[in-house]
Amino acid sequence: MFFISRPLGIAVAVYSCVFIFMARLYVGLHWPTDIMAGVMLGAGIAWVAMLPRMRELFSRPAFWALDRYPGLFYTGAFVVTYQVAVLFGDLRRSRAYVVNALERVV
């Protein structure tokens, strides 16, 4: 959000600190160092992603796939965004099932 609008970015940061970070600290889901590390990691990734060379590097294949295979591109984009929305729950449960099955065999 800082790259789009500085005031909007500040508003989102304040909202995140008050309603998200503090709530996670209060209920004991995270330590303060977890949240600081997450903020630094997220800010670093956002900064690198906004570098012109990186944007070109990652957007070129995506736009090529969109132009060449739009149906496949949108299907893949839906699957990826869905998995992000459900925090890869299906994949994590599948992994747990496979690991459990392998432990029984070994």
Side-chain angles (χ1 to χ4, degrees):
M1 290 297 167
F2 280 106
F3 296 116
I4 297 170
S5 165
R6 185 139 323 218
L8 181 60
I10 291 170
V12 168
V14 169
Y15 172 83
S16 297
C17 286
V18 172
F19 293 105
I20 297 172
F21 302 155
M22 295 305 285
R24 290 179 172 272
L25 287 173
Y26 180 75
V27 298
L29 288 175
H30 295 287
W31 292 92
T33 53
D34 296 341
I35 292 177
M36 289 187 302
V39 167
M40 290 189 310
L41 182 64
I45 290 172
W47 177 74
V48 169
M50 291 303 293
L51 295 172
R53 178 76 178 125
M54 295 304 288
R55 291 175 68 183
E56 181 182 336
L57 179 69
F58 288 104
S59 65
R60 183 176 291 164
F63 283 125
W64 176 84
L66 176 60
D67 290 339
R68 183 98 182 206
Y69 306 104
L72 187 60
F73 175 83
Y74 284 116
T75 302
F78 170 77
V79 169
V80 169
T81 55
Y82 176 76
Q83 288 299 323
V84 168
V86 297
L87 300 174
F88 296 92
D90 301 337
L91 294 175
R92 287 190 288 165
R93 280 190 296 279
S94 299
R95 180 200 162 275
Y97 175 76
V98 169
V99 167
N100 191 8
L102 289 175
E103 286 175 350
R104 290 181 189 177
V105 171
V106 175

